[in-house]
Amino acid sequence: MKYDYLIVGAGLFGAIFAYEADRAGKRVLVLDKRNHVGGNIYTKEVEGIQVHEYGAHIFHTSDKAVWDYVQQFAEFNRYTNSPVARFGDELYNLPFNMNTFSKMWGVRTPGEAKEMIDRQIQESGITEPKNLEEQAISLVGKDIYEKLVKGYTEKQWGKRATELPSFIIRRLPVRFVYDNNYFNDRYQGIPIGGYTQIIEKMLDGIEVRLNTDFFDERDALKQQADKIVFTGMIDAYYDYCYGELEYRSLRFETETLEVENYQGNAVVNYTEYEIPYTRIIEHKHFEYGCQGGYGNTGERNPKTVITREYPAAWTRGAEPYYPMNDEKNNALYEKYKGLAEKEEGVIFGGRLGMYCYYDMHQVVAAALACARENI
């Protein structure tokens, strides 16, 4: 059978493109090397709890068109992302706001908080930041940097802050209000029943082959379709001919606990460098958080599921989660992008195909734009 589109990757970008192509009457084949659809937003039910298998995913956007688009595939709850940071025995609200500053310094007013931050910035004497550490201190002062930025960032990137370029942190959100809502976006929530249902609905009626690695039968597959939508690593597609792009990977440790409530919040960040994981996710709070531990049935769940998230170096064969968008890697990506622009019949999309860190709402917008342009 001849397909109009062969889509490599059954994640959010690939599924949206497949859905739009199918609606336009095109013949579509979707491949994924994993044993499930959904990519990194895949969720599965464990003990009646929707578990985010590849880390926390909170949908947020200020784009009403994007919000309306995803609403057709699932009902979203009113979850508000309000992570907590733990440094030693101290707990702080994120993002940096008046609750954070009050706990850290005992201040009560925005004026007092601004004065404290400005004084620490002035005392640092940093006028031209040469690395991430100096950049962060020049933005928020020494106390916030050392307790809430330094260790977490060093674990996330696998390098000391003094070895990281300053442009990685162009700004740090500081709010002089008592508001723990992490995102400023107008729309925010998590689909009731998890994300997997969204992808399944998008791919309903479309041929999907799981446990299928595109590279294992590349030549044969390319002959079956007029065009390819590739959402994997662009450097892998070109057999790393210019060298490897750098990524950061993640390792997850998930366990079910015989307690009703482990940490009282969906996300707790561990900002000390000595603690190897960056955060603990308690999945039930994504759906139960506003209901005091109750699920959609109104009954308490006596168990909980937690995941510890460990940053890891990426090597071939590992899952690439975050592009390392520093100057060196962005320059290397431009070489691969040059090859892609010359190649007929192949469309590169998604976080890996475009070597760009996308949030979910950005993936939706990019996939829809790509579909409009190419279908």
Side-chain angles (χ1 to χ4, degrees), residues 1-8 27 29 31 209 212-230 234 236-239 339-340 342-348:
M1 180 179 178
K2 186 78 169 178
Y3 300 95
D4 294 300
Y5 293 96
L6 166 64
I7 299 174
V8 181
R27 293 162 297 177
L29 171 63
L31 309 178
R209 298 180 192 172
T212 302
D213 192 326
F214 169 75
F215 295 111
D216 289 344
E217 36 190 314
R218 175 175 182 156
D219 293 337
L221 287 168
K222 288 178 72 173
Q223 293 177 12
Q224 295 182 43
D226 293 329
K227 290 186 178 181
I228 295 173
V229 178
F230 187 80
I234 190 171
Y237 183 88
Y238 288 108
D239 199 25
L339 291 178
K342 295 175 184 176
E343 180 145 0
E344 295 183 4
V346 181
I347 302 163
F348 292 88

Side-chain angles (χ1 to χ4, degrees), residues 36 54 151 232 236 254 301:
H36 60 75
Y54 302 99
T254 299
N301 188 329

Side-chain angles (χ1 to χ4, degrees), residues 100-341:
T100 318
F101 309 143
S102 179
K103 175 67 178 292
M104 188 167 291
W105 300 313
V107 299
R108 292 178 175 81
T109 68
E112 292 173 327
K114 288 180 182 177
E115 182 181 348
M116 181 67 75
I117 292 173
D118 290 343
R119 183 191 312 153
Q120 292 191 7
I121 292 173
Q122 193 72 25
E123 289 173 351
S124 74
I126 299 169
T127 55
E128 295 183 12
K130 297 180 177 61
N131 53 54
L132 186 146
E133 177 167 289
E134 292 183 356
Q135 175 74 4
I137 293 173
S138 71
L139 292 171
V140 294
K142 187 176 180 180
D143 289 349
I144 295 174
Y145 166 71
E146 291 190 343
K147 289 189 174 184
L148 302 180
V149 178
K150 178 179 170 65
Y152 189 94
T153 302
E154 291 179 340
K155 288 188 288 188
Q156 191 77 7
W157 289 90
K159 295 180 180 179
R160 291 297 185 177
T162 52
E163 300 170 351
L164 291 167
S166 60
F167 70 80
I168 289 177
I169 294 184
R170 292 186 175 89
R171 64 181 183 87
L172 285 169
V174 176
R175 301 178 188 168
F176 295 99
V177 292
Y178 289 91
D179 182 4
N180 299 324
N181 183 359
Y182 195 81
F183 300 118
N184 284 318
D185 289 308
R186 181 177 180 182
Y187 308 106
Q188 182 177 171
I190 291 175
I192 297 170
Y195 284 98
T196 304
Q197 61 176 320
I198 293 176
I199 305 300
E200 289 175 341
K201 290 175 184 176
M202 289 178 177
L203 297 177
D204 184 36
I206 296 173
E207 184 178 352
V208 178
R209 298 180 192 172
L210 301 177
N211 300 302
T212 302
D213 192 326
F214 169 75
F215 295 111
D216 289 344
E217 36 190 314
R218 175 175 182 156
D219 293 337
L221 287 168
K222 288 178 72 173
Q223 293 177 12
Q224 295 182 43
D226 293 329
K227 290 186 178 181
I228 295 173
V229 178
F230 187 80
T231 67
M233 298 186 299
I234 190 171
D235 53 338
Y237 183 88
Y238 288 108
D239 199 25
Y240 309 101
C241 64
Y242 292 131
E244 292 179 353
L245 290 165
E246 290 184 87
Y247 305 86
R248 288 292 287 168
S249 191
L250 295 170
R251 178 172 62 85
F252 303 99
E253 288 184 357
T254 299
E255 59 180 315
T256 300
L257 303 177
E258 300 289 332
V259 297
E260 186 178 288
N261 187 352
Y262 176 74
Q263 64 185 16
N265 205 50
V267 181
V268 176
N269 292 351
Y270 285 75
T271 61
E272 288 176 280
Y273 183 79
E274 291 71 23
I275 295 175
Y277 44 86
T278 50
R279 57 185 178 176
I280 295 180
I281 300 163
E282 187 168 8
H283 301 269
K284 73 189 309 182
H285 294 301
F286 288 132
E287 289 200 72
Y288 291 35
C290 300
Q291 304 165 36
Y294 287 89
N296 299 322
T297 63
E299 298 179 358
R300 284 191 179 275
N301 188 329
K303 297 183 181 181
T304 194
V305 180
I306 66 168
T307 298
R308 293 179 178 86
E309 190 171 303
Y310 297 81
W314 177 84
T315 56
R316 291 195 199 187
E319 287 292 339
Y321 287 92
Y322 303 108
M324 295 277 284
N325 287 121
D326 56 19
E327 291 179 358
K328 180 186 75 172
N329 283 286
N330 287 342
L332 181 57
Y333 166 68
E334 287 299 319
K335 291 185 176 182
Y336 285 114
K337 184 180 177 183
L339 291 178
E341 289 172 347

Side-chain angles (χ1 to χ4, degrees), residues 36-149:
H36 60 75
V37 299
N40 290 344
I41 68 170
Y42 171 71
T43 53
K44 73 173 182 179
E45 186 171 311
V46 178
E47 298 291 348
I49 299 165
Q50 287 295 325
V51 173
H52 297 218
E53 283 283 286
Y54 302 99
H57 286 82
I58 299 103
F59 200 95
H60 59 96
T61 183
S62 293
D63 188 329
K64 189 174 186 301
V66 167
W67 182 245
D68 289 344
Y69 185 83
V70 297
Q71 292 289 302
Q72 65 183 309
F73 302 105
E75 179 185 357
F76 281 65
N77 65 18
R78 61 180 183 85
Y79 177 82
T80 299
N81 190 32
S82 302
V84 171
R86 178 171 175 172
F87 179 84
D89 293 328
E90 302 169 4
L91 295 175
Y92 295 95
N93 291 110
L94 296 176
F96 311 139
N97 67 76
M98 285 304 300
N99 289 308
T100 318
F101 309 143
S102 179
K103 175 67 178 292
M104 188 167 291
W105 300 313
V107 299
R108 292 178 175 81
T109 68
E112 292 173 327
K114 288 180 182 177
E115 182 181 348
M116 181 67 75
I117 292 173
D118 290 343
R119 183 191 312 153
Q120 292 191 7
I121 292 173
Q122 193 72 25
E123 289 173 351
S124 74
I126 299 169
T127 55
E128 295 183 12
K130 297 180 177 61
N131 53 54
L132 186 146
E133 177 167 289
E134 292 183 356
Q135 175 74 4
I137 293 173
S138 71
L139 292 171
V140 294
K142 187 176 180 180
D143 289 349
I144 295 174
Y145 166 71
E146 291 190 343
K147 289 189 174 184
L148 302 180
V149 178

